[in-house]
mmCIF file of all heavy atoms in Angstrom:
data_model
loop_
_atom_site.group_PDB
_atom_site.id
_atom_site.type_symbol
_atom_site.label_atom_id
_atom_site.label_comp_id
_atom_site.label_asym_id
_atom_site.label_seq_id
_atom_site.Cartn_x
_atom_site.Cartn_y
_atom_site.Cartn_z
ATOM 1 N N THR M 62 86.068 -72.569 14.662
ATOM 2 C CA THR M 62 87.347 -73.058 15.153
ATOM 3 C C THR M 62 88.390 -72.206 14.559
ATOM 4 O O THR M 62 89.255 -71.713 15.173
ATOM 5 C CB THR M 62 87.489 -74.480 15.043
ATOM 6 O OG1 THR M 62 86.411 -75.152 15.678
ATOM 7 C CG2 THR M 62 88.794 -74.967 15.592
ATOM 8 N N LEU M 63 88.355 -72.208 13.085
ATOM 9 C CA LEU M 63 89.497 -71.624 12.449
ATOM 10 C C LEU M 63 89.310 -70.035 12.691
ATOM 11 O O LEU M 63 90.537 -69.468 12.807
ATOM 12 C CB LEU M 63 89.300 -71.867 10.955
ATOM 13 C CG LEU M 63 90.522 -71.363 10.022
ATOM 14 C CD1 LEU M 63 91.861 -71.959 10.449
ATOM 15 C CD2 LEU M 63 90.274 -71.768 8.544
ATOM 16 N N LEU M 64 88.346 -69.450 12.871
ATOM 17 C CA LEU M 64 88.158 -68.069 13.181
ATOM 18 C C LEU M 64 88.781 -67.713 14.520
ATOM 19 O O LEU M 64 89.573 -66.928 14.623
ATOM 20 C CB LEU M 64 86.709 -67.657 13.165
ATOM 21 C CG LEU M 64 86.456 -66.101 13.199
ATOM 22 C CD1 LEU M 64 87.123 -65.431 12.061
ATOM 23 C CD2 LEU M 64 84.941 -65.834 13.428
ATOM 24 N N ASP M 65 88.511 -68.603 15.486
ATOM 25 C CA ASP M 65 88.985 -68.340 16.850
ATOM 26 C C ASP M 65 90.552 -68.506 16.724
ATOM 27 O O ASP M 65 91.256 -67.625 17.453
ATOM 28 C CB ASP M 65 88.455 -69.395 17.859
ATOM 29 C CG ASP M 65 87.092 -69.118 18.245
ATOM 30 O OD1 ASP M 65 86.558 -68.156 17.876
ATOM 31 O OD2 ASP M 65 86.557 -70.016 18.827
ATOM 32 N N LEU M 66 91.016 -69.434 16.184
ATOM 33 C CA LEU M 66 92.603 -69.610 16.119
ATOM 34 C C LEU M 66 93.202 -68.574 15.259
ATOM 35 O O LEU M 66 94.295 -67.999 15.856
ATOM 36 C CB LEU M 66 92.903 -71.010 15.373
ATOM 37 C CG LEU M 66 92.458 -72.288 16.043
ATOM 38 C CD1 LEU M 66 92.743 -73.471 15.094
ATOM 39 C CD2 LEU M 66 93.272 -72.602 17.235
ATOM 40 N N THR M 67 92.658 -68.159 14.138
ATOM 41 C CA THR M 67 93.369 -67.136 13.337
ATOM 42 C C THR M 67 93.244 -65.725 14.022
ATOM 43 O O THR M 67 94.229 -65.035 13.891
ATOM 44 C CB THR M 67 92.789 -67.256 11.911
ATOM 45 O OG1 THR M 67 91.391 -67.107 11.913
ATOM 46 C CG2 THR M 67 93.268 -68.417 11.112
ATOM 47 N N VAL M 68 91.998 -65.338 14.613
ATOM 48 C CA VAL M 68 91.970 -64.130 15.224
ATOM 49 C C VAL M 68 92.906 -63.946 16.336
ATOM 50 O O VAL M 68 93.674 -63.017 16.616
ATOM 51 C CB VAL M 68 90.528 -63.869 15.595
ATOM 52 C CG1 VAL M 68 90.434 -62.650 16.608
ATOM 53 C CG2 VAL M 68 89.586 -63.673 14.440
ATOM 54 N N ARG M 69 93.001 -65.071 17.127
ATOM 55 C CA ARG M 69 93.940 -65.142 18.291
ATOM 56 C C ARG M 69 95.421 -64.927 17.848
ATOM 57 O O ARG M 69 96.094 -64.149 18.438
ATOM 58 C CB ARG M 69 93.696 -66.516 18.957
ATOM 59 C CG ARG M 69 94.230 -66.463 20.393
ATOM 60 C CD ARG M 69 93.880 -67.737 21.072
ATOM 61 N NE ARG M 69 94.915 -68.188 22.071
ATOM 62 C CZ ARG M 69 95.014 -69.236 22.626
ATOM 63 N NH1 ARG M 69 94.121 -70.165 22.339
ATOM 64 N NH2 ARG M 69 95.952 -69.480 23.365
ATOM 65 N N SER M 70 95.727 -65.625 16.687
ATOM 66 C CA SER M 70 97.077 -65.585 16.270
ATOM 67 C C SER M 70 97.476 -64.144 15.701
ATOM 68 O O SER M 70 98.489 -63.612 15.884
ATOM 69 C CB SER M 70 97.299 -66.744 15.232
ATOM 70 O OG SER M 70 98.765 -66.885 15.061
ATOM 71 N N LEU M 71 96.458 -63.536 14.937
ATOM 72 C CA LEU M 71 96.583 -62.205 14.535
ATOM 73 C C LEU M 71 96.960 -61.239 15.699
ATOM 74 O O LEU M 71 97.810 -60.414 15.470
ATOM 75 C CB LEU M 71 95.396 -61.782 13.685
ATOM 76 C CG LEU M 71 95.490 -60.378 13.070
ATOM 77 C CD1 LEU M 71 96.653 -60.331 11.996
ATOM 78 C CD2 LEU M 71 94.284 -59.874 12.471
ATOM 79 N N GLY M 72 96.202 -61.543 16.849
ATOM 80 C CA GLY M 72 96.425 -60.585 17.924
ATOM 81 C C GLY M 72 97.904 -60.705 18.480
ATOM 82 O O GLY M 72 98.367 -59.856 19.265
ATOM 83 N N LEU M 73 98.597 -61.805 18.204
ATOM 84 C CA LEU M 73 99.960 -62.007 18.665
ATOM 85 C C LEU M 73 101.008 -61.375 17.776
ATOM 86 O O LEU M 73 102.155 -61.331 18.082
ATOM 87 C CB LEU M 73 100.311 -63.490 18.893
ATOM 88 C CG LEU M 73 99.462 -64.294 19.808
ATOM 89 C CD1 LEU M 73 99.788 -65.761 19.595
ATOM 90 C CD2 LEU M 73 99.675 -63.860 21.230
ATOM 91 N N PHE M 74 100.661 -60.947 16.578
ATOM 92 C CA PHE M 74 101.481 -60.606 15.469
ATOM 93 C C PHE M 74 102.358 -59.423 15.798
ATOM 94 O O PHE M 74 103.574 -59.456 15.446
ATOM 95 C CB PHE M 74 100.869 -60.472 14.173
ATOM 96 C CG PHE M 74 101.257 -61.546 13.138
ATOM 97 C CD1 PHE M 74 100.611 -62.710 13.093
ATOM 98 C CD2 PHE M 74 102.423 -61.410 12.449
ATOM 99 C CE1 PHE M 74 101.072 -63.739 12.188
ATOM 100 C CE2 PHE M 74 102.902 -62.444 11.583
ATOM 101 C CZ PHE M 74 102.148 -63.661 11.486
ATOM 102 N N ASP M 75 101.985 -58.371 16.293
ATOM 103 C CA ASP M 75 102.765 -57.169 16.642
ATOM 104 C C ASP M 75 103.979 -57.522 17.378
ATOM 105 O O ASP M 75 105.137 -57.236 17.019
ATOM 106 C CB ASP M 75 101.981 -56.053 17.228
ATOM 107 C CG ASP M 75 101.010 -55.290 16.164
ATOM 108 O OD1 ASP M 75 100.976 -55.605 14.986
ATOM 109 O OD2 ASP M 75 100.219 -54.498 16.755
ATOM 110 N N ASN M 76 103.698 -58.174 18.493
ATOM 111 C CA ASN M 76 104.918 -58.597 19.429
ATOM 112 C C ASN M 76 105.701 -59.511 18.696
ATOM 113 O O ASN M 76 106.914 -59.592 18.887
ATOM 114 C CB ASN M 76 104.226 -59.078 20.766
ATOM 115 C CG ASN M 76 103.658 -57.959 21.567
ATOM 116 O OD1 ASN M 76 104.095 -56.798 21.360
ATOM 117 N ND2 ASN M 76 102.845 -58.255 22.587
ATOM 118 N N PHE M 77 105.195 -60.574 18.122
ATOM 119 C CA PHE M 77 105.971 -61.623 17.414
ATOM 120 C C PHE M 77 106.915 -61.016 16.431
ATOM 121 O O PHE M 77 108.155 -61.385 16.471
ATOM 122 C CB PHE M 77 104.881 -62.511 16.632
ATOM 123 C CG PHE M 77 105.408 -63.641 15.952
ATOM 124 C CD1 PHE M 77 105.943 -64.801 16.609
ATOM 125 C CD2 PHE M 77 105.270 -63.695 14.541
ATOM 126 C CE1 PHE M 77 106.444 -65.911 15.877
ATOM 127 C CE2 PHE M 77 105.723 -64.841 13.865
ATOM 128 C CZ PHE M 77 106.234 -65.921 14.648
ATOM 129 N N ILE M 78 106.457 -60.170 15.614
ATOM 130 C CA ILE M 78 107.313 -59.505 14.617
ATOM 131 C C ILE M 78 108.410 -58.594 15.269
ATOM 132 O O ILE M 78 109.609 -58.702 14.996
ATOM 133 C CB ILE M 78 106.623 -58.673 13.565
ATOM 134 C CG1 ILE M 78 105.619 -59.528 12.734
ATOM 135 C CG2 ILE M 78 107.484 -57.869 12.706
ATOM 136 C CD1 ILE M 78 106.231 -60.309 11.572
ATOM 137 N N ALA M 79 108.041 -57.861 16.266
ATOM 138 C CA ALA M 79 108.973 -56.942 16.912
ATOM 139 C C ALA M 79 110.041 -57.811 17.620
ATOM 140 O O ALA M 79 111.108 -57.566 17.560
ATOM 141 C CB ALA M 79 108.253 -56.036 17.843
ATOM 142 N N ARG M 80 109.634 -58.892 18.231
ATOM 143 C CA ARG M 80 110.605 -59.612 18.942
ATOM 144 C C ARG M 80 111.584 -60.299 18.032
ATOM 145 O O ARG M 80 112.866 -60.365 18.177
ATOM 146 C CB ARG M 80 109.966 -60.683 19.787
ATOM 147 C CG ARG M 80 110.721 -61.430 20.717
ATOM 148 C CD ARG M 80 110.059 -62.150 21.841
ATOM 149 N NE ARG M 80 108.984 -63.007 21.331
ATOM 150 C CZ ARG M 80 107.624 -63.119 21.777
ATOM 151 N NH1 ARG M 80 107.397 -62.356 22.772
ATOM 152 N NH2 ARG M 80 106.845 -63.875 21.201
ATOM 153 N N VAL M 81 111.032 -60.943 16.910
ATOM 154 C CA VAL M 81 112.018 -61.710 16.030
ATOM 155 C C VAL M 81 112.932 -60.784 15.318
ATOM 156 O O VAL M 81 114.062 -61.097 14.964
ATOM 157 C CB VAL M 81 111.150 -62.648 15.181
ATOM 158 C CG1 VAL M 81 110.523 -61.833 14.061
ATOM 159 C CG2 VAL M 81 111.974 -63.622 14.480
ATOM 160 N N VAL M 82 112.364 -59.549 14.894
ATOM 161 C CA VAL M 82 113.361 -58.533 14.353
ATOM 162 C C VAL M 82 114.466 -58.135 15.230
ATOM 163 O O VAL M 82 115.596 -58.178 14.915
ATOM 164 C CB VAL M 82 112.476 -57.454 13.794
ATOM 165 C CG1 VAL M 82 113.445 -56.246 13.310
ATOM 166 C CG2 VAL M 82 111.673 -57.933 12.623
ATOM 167 N N ALA M 83 114.055 -57.871 16.523
ATOM 168 C CA ALA M 83 115.059 -57.433 17.577
ATOM 169 C C ALA M 83 116.036 -58.494 17.773
ATOM 170 O O ALA M 83 117.342 -58.255 17.843
ATOM 171 C CB ALA M 83 114.406 -56.990 18.805
ATOM 172 N N GLU M 84 115.528 -59.797 17.965
ATOM 173 C CA GLU M 84 116.541 -60.788 18.214
ATOM 174 C C GLU M 84 117.376 -61.329 17.105
ATOM 175 O O GLU M 84 118.443 -61.799 17.247
ATOM 176 C CB GLU M 84 115.655 -62.010 18.775
ATOM 177 C CG GLU M 84 115.032 -61.788 20.213
ATOM 178 C CD GLU M 84 114.161 -62.857 20.610
ATOM 179 O OE1 GLU M 84 114.178 -64.050 19.962
ATOM 180 O OE2 GLU M 84 113.464 -62.790 21.658
ATOM 181 N N SER M 85 116.955 -61.009 15.839
ATOM 182 C CA SER M 85 117.620 -61.727 14.660
ATOM 183 C C SER M 85 118.412 -60.548 13.968
ATOM 184 O O SER M 85 119.414 -60.910 13.257
ATOM 185 C CB SER M 85 116.644 -62.349 13.753
ATOM 186 O OG SER M 85 115.751 -61.276 13.086
ATOM 187 N N GLY M 86 117.936 -59.325 14.085
ATOM 188 C CA GLY M 86 118.621 -58.203 13.371
ATOM 189 C C GLY M 86 118.160 -58.367 11.840
ATOM 190 O O GLY M 86 118.691 -57.585 11.013
ATOM 191 N N VAL M 87 117.218 -59.282 11.458
ATOM 192 C CA VAL M 87 116.754 -59.396 10.138
ATOM 193 C C VAL M 87 115.505 -58.493 9.958
ATOM 194 O O VAL M 87 114.633 -58.684 10.562
ATOM 195 C CB VAL M 87 116.496 -60.803 9.739
ATOM 196 C CG1 VAL M 87 115.935 -61.053 8.450
ATOM 197 C CG2 VAL M 87 117.707 -61.659 9.913
ATOM 198 N N PRO M 88 115.540 -57.532 8.988
ATOM 199 C CA PRO M 88 114.268 -56.806 8.708
ATOM 200 C C PRO M 88 113.177 -57.703 8.250
ATOM 201 O O PRO M 88 113.417 -58.460 7.374
ATOM 202 C CB PRO M 88 114.716 -55.738 7.709
ATOM 203 C CG PRO M 88 115.936 -56.090 7.255
ATOM 204 C CD PRO M 88 116.525 -57.192 8.096
ATOM 205 N N VAL M 89 111.874 -57.500 8.592
ATOM 206 C CA VAL M 89 110.802 -58.230 8.212
ATOM 207 C C VAL M 89 109.654 -57.293 7.694
ATOM 208 O O VAL M 89 109.050 -56.699 8.563
ATOM 209 C CB VAL M 89 110.250 -59.191 9.201
ATOM 210 C CG1 VAL M 89 109.049 -59.964 8.640
ATOM 211 C CG2 VAL M 89 111.316 -60.219 9.644
ATOM 212 N N PRO M 90 109.385 -57.228 6.393
ATOM 213 C CA PRO M 90 108.186 -56.336 6.024
ATOM 214 C C PRO M 90 106.962 -56.867 6.691
ATOM 215 O O PRO M 90 106.717 -58.065 6.670
ATOM 216 C CB PRO M 90 108.208 -56.490 4.606
ATOM 217 C CG PRO M 90 109.636 -56.854 4.172
ATOM 218 C CD PRO M 90 110.145 -57.741 5.295
ATOM 219 N N TYR M 91 106.248 -55.920 7.099
ATOM 220 C CA TYR M 91 104.855 -56.203 7.940
ATOM 221 C C TYR M 91 104.017 -55.037 7.917
ATOM 222 O O TYR M 91 104.517 -53.942 8.367
ATOM 223 C CB TYR M 91 105.303 -56.608 9.434
ATOM 224 C CG TYR M 91 104.186 -56.674 10.301
ATOM 225 C CD1 TYR M 91 103.088 -57.749 10.205
ATOM 226 C CD2 TYR M 91 104.174 -56.066 11.518
ATOM 227 C CE1 TYR M 91 102.188 -57.872 11.052
ATOM 228 C CE2 TYR M 91 103.082 -56.247 12.440
ATOM 229 C CZ TYR M 91 102.023 -57.094 12.194
ATOM 230 O OH TYR M 91 101.007 -57.215 13.140
ATOM 231 N N HIS M 92 102.813 -55.149 7.450
ATOM 232 C CA HIS M 92 101.961 -54.135 7.340
ATOM 233 C C HIS M 92 100.452 -54.444 7.690
ATOM 234 O O HIS M 92 100.132 -55.514 7.277
ATOM 235 C CB HIS M 92 101.827 -53.520 5.798
ATOM 236 C CG HIS M 92 103.166 -53.252 5.344
ATOM 237 N ND1 HIS M 92 103.837 -52.062 5.695
ATOM 238 C CD2 HIS M 92 103.979 -53.874 4.486
ATOM 239 C CE1 HIS M 92 105.144 -52.049 4.967
ATOM 240 N NE2 HIS M 92 105.144 -53.065 4.270
ATOM 241 N N ARG M 93 99.963 -53.542 8.557
ATOM 242 C CA ARG M 93 98.496 -53.911 8.853
ATOM 243 C C ARG M 93 97.626 -52.743 8.265
ATOM 244 O O ARG M 93 97.048 -51.861 8.890
ATOM 245 C CB ARG M 93 98.428 -53.785 10.399
ATOM 246 C CG ARG M 93 99.096 -54.914 11.047
ATOM 247 C CD ARG M 93 98.489 -56.384 10.856
ATOM 248 N NE ARG M 93 97.294 -56.420 11.708
ATOM 249 C CZ ARG M 93 97.213 -56.858 13.014
ATOM 250 N NH1 ARG M 93 98.379 -57.182 13.547
ATOM 251 N NH2 ARG M 93 96.098 -56.877 13.672
ATOM 252 N N THR M 94 97.647 -52.803 6.811
ATOM 253 C CA THR M 94 96.933 -51.710 6.049
ATOM 254 C C THR M 94 95.576 -52.184 5.733
ATOM 255 O O THR M 94 94.873 -51.522 5.007
ATOM 256 C CB THR M 94 97.727 -51.473 4.920
ATOM 257 O OG1 THR M 94 98.310 -52.596 4.376
ATOM 258 C CG2 THR M 94 98.977 -50.516 5.186
ATOM 259 N N GLY M 95 95.171 -53.358 6.211
ATOM 260 C CA GLY M 95 93.756 -53.799 5.948
ATOM 261 C C GLY M 95 93.673 -54.439 4.603
ATOM 262 O O GLY M 95 94.578 -54.665 3.878
ATOM 263 N N THR M 96 92.529 -55.059 4.454
ATOM 264 C CA THR M 96 92.178 -55.671 3.032
ATOM 265 C C THR M 96 90.919 -54.978 2.461
ATOM 266 O O THR M 96 90.131 -54.362 3.124
ATOM 267 C CB THR M 96 91.723 -57.128 3.285
ATOM 268 O OG1 THR M 96 90.696 -57.164 4.368
ATOM 269 C CG2 THR M 96 92.951 -57.956 3.648
ATOM 270 N N LEU M 97 90.980 -54.926 1.173
ATOM 271 C CA LEU M 97 89.880 -54.375 0.369
ATOM 272 C C LEU M 97 89.308 -55.525 -0.457
ATOM 273 O O LEU M 97 89.961 -56.018 -1.330
ATOM 274 C CB LEU M 97 90.398 -53.346 -0.507
ATOM 275 C CG LEU M 97 89.373 -52.542 -1.365
ATOM 276 C CD1 LEU M 97 88.559 -51.515 -0.610
ATOM 277 C CD2 LEU M 97 90.028 -51.831 -2.611
ATOM 278 N N GLN M 98 88.032 -55.983 0.008
ATOM 279 C CA GLN M 98 87.397 -57.058 -0.800
ATOM 280 C C GLN M 98 86.598 -56.383 -1.877
ATOM 281 O O GLN M 98 85.666 -55.577 -1.563
ATOM 282 C CB GLN M 98 86.558 -58.041 0.066
ATOM 283 C CG GLN M 98 87.416 -58.939 0.824
ATOM 284 C CD GLN M 98 86.612 -59.685 1.781
ATOM 285 O OE1 GLN M 98 86.406 -59.243 2.900
ATOM 286 N NE2 GLN M 98 86.026 -60.897 1.368
#
Side-chain angles (χ1 to χ4, degrees):
T62 303
L63 188 57
L64 188 63
D65 287 350
L66 293 169
T67 51
V68 168
R69 198 171 147 194
S70 201
L71 183 64
L73 300 173
F74 245 93
D75 285 352
N76 287 341
F77 180 67
I78 296 278
R80 187 162 55 224
V81 73
V82 168
E84 290 177 6
S85 67
V87 176
V89 178
Y91 169 61
H92 303 285
R93 293 289 286 274
T94 38
T96 49
L97 182 76
Q98 282 171 274

